[in-house]
Amino acid sequence: RKEVEQDPGPFNVPEGATVAFNCTYSNSASQSFFWYRQDCRKEPKLLMSVYSSGNEDGRFTAQLNRASQYISLLIRDSKLSDSATYLCVVNENYGQNFVFGPGTRLSVLP
Amino acid sequence: NAGVTQTPKFQVLKTGQSMTLQCAQDMNHNSMYWYRQDPGMGLRLIYYSASEGTTDKGEVPNGYNVSRLNKREFSLRLESAAPSQTSVYFCASSVGTSGSNEQFFGPGTRLTVL
């Protein structure tokens, strides 16, 4: 079983839609969680960290469920510019071992 | 600030050739990383350097060597390239050794081994 799993998509949604991505991780000792965004043929960039209490940044909301070992990302009012691949990243034991999921591809259609 | 820079952007090698991928950061970060990204897979850690003077293996270190030349620079060397090393290579840096720190990535090097 892969350490971090994501639905690869693609998710094709119309502008203005709400879309949610889930990510599951296998190591219960994982301590830090992130969502990164990667545009086509570009480098990943941090979208947001995921905190235990959940956190929101504008149209983006991230949730963590430690008991079920999954992380979610909710995007409201999708924009064309949201089209990208979203990478779930998990860090174990506050060390250097960052484990990346394979990514979920989102296409927002006009 | 340029952030994290990588050279070259593209490279084609023949099996058995060697090359060094260069990475530099100007953010005074302590930690630096090398990843490879293959289709359908997440980024996989090759090597990392928690601080100047130290390097450690990641998930997929075989076939690679690294050098933390100074605080700014972290190079990745392929001694004898193989087709399985065809990939996109990303260098990254972060402020410190805490796993809660954001990683900043370079633009990547697209390597093809024939």
Side-chain angles (χ1 to χ4, degrees), chain A residues 2-3 32-34 36 38 40-47 49 87 89 91-103, chain B residues 10 31 33 35 37 40-45 48-50 59 90 94 96-108 110:
Chain A
K2 293 181 182 176
E3 293 184 59
S32 302
F33 309 90
F34 310 86
Y36 276 72
Q38 186 174 24
C40 186
R41 300 181 71 80
K42 298 286 188 181
E43 71 272 23
K45 293 183 180 178
L46 180 67
L47 178 67
S49 301
L87 307 174
V89 184
N91 180 269
E92 302 169 350
N93 300 321
Y94 293 116
Q96 300 303 307
N97 188 20
F98 292 88
V99 183
F100 284 72
Chain B
F10 302 93
S31 300
Y33 314 81
Y35 292 91
Q37 185 174 34
M41 304 183 73
L43 276 76
R44 292 182 292 168
L45 184 64
Y48 66 92
S49 171
E59 180 186 353
F90 288 103
S94 63
T97 57
S98 167
S100 62
N101 287 320
E102 175 183 359
Q103 293 188 321
F104 294 82
F105 286 83
R110 284 168 172 74

Side-chain angles (χ1 to χ4, degrees), chain B:
Chain B
N1 285 351
V4 180
T5 57
Q6 292 183 235
T7 55
K9 286 189 169 55
F10 302 93
Q11 184 71 50
V12 178
L13 292 178
K14 294 181 180 178
T15 297
Q17 288 184 315
S18 62
M19 78 161 296
T20 300
L21 281 64
Q22 306 287 353
C23 173
Q25 52 90 9
D26 62 2
M27 296 175 282
N28 201 33
H29 285 173
N30 291 304
S31 300
M32 298 186 74
Y33 314 81
W34 276 106
Y35 292 91
R36 60 177 289 172
Q37 185 174 34
D38 301 296
M41 304 183 73
L43 276 76
R44 292 182 292 168
L45 184 64
I46 304 171
Y47 271 93
Y48 66 92
S49 171
S51 61
E52 186 179 355
T54 68
T55 60
D56 286 286
K57 296 178 180 179
E59 180 186 353
V60 288
N62 291 343
Y64 306 95
N65 285 302
V66 291
S67 294
R68 184 75 183 266
L69 303 170
N70 46 56
K71 191 170 185 179
R72 290 187 63 247
E73 299 172 287
F74 189 38
S75 63
L76 178 71
R77 182 159 178 84
L78 286 70
E79 291 291 350
S80 178
S84 60
Q85 293 178 305
T86 293
S87 188
V88 181
Y89 291 85
F90 288 103
C91 177
S93 70
S94 63
V95 171
T97 57
S98 167
S100 62
N101 287 320
E102 175 183 359
Q103 293 188 321
F104 294 82
F105 286 83
T109 294
R110 284 168 172 74
L111 175 66
T112 301
V113 183
L114 303 175

Side-chain angles (χ1 to χ4, degrees), chain A residues 44-95:
Chain A
K45 293 183 180 178
L46 180 67
L47 178 67
M48 57 198 306
S49 301
V50 185
Y51 303 122
S52 296
S53 55
N55 48 302
E56 186 174 308
D57 182 3
R59 299 181 292 110
F60 299 85
T61 300
Q63 297 280 352
L64 168 63
N65 185 319
R66 285 188 184 272
S68 301
Q69 296 180 203
Y70 79 79
I71 308 145
S72 65
L73 177 68
L74 183 77
I75 306 175
R76 292 181 298 277
D77 188 22
S78 300
K79 311 291 185 190
L80 295 176
S81 57
D82 293 334
S83 296
T85 296
Y86 290 83
L87 307 174
C88 174
V89 184
V90 173
N91 180 269
E92 302 169 350
N93 300 321
Y94 293 116

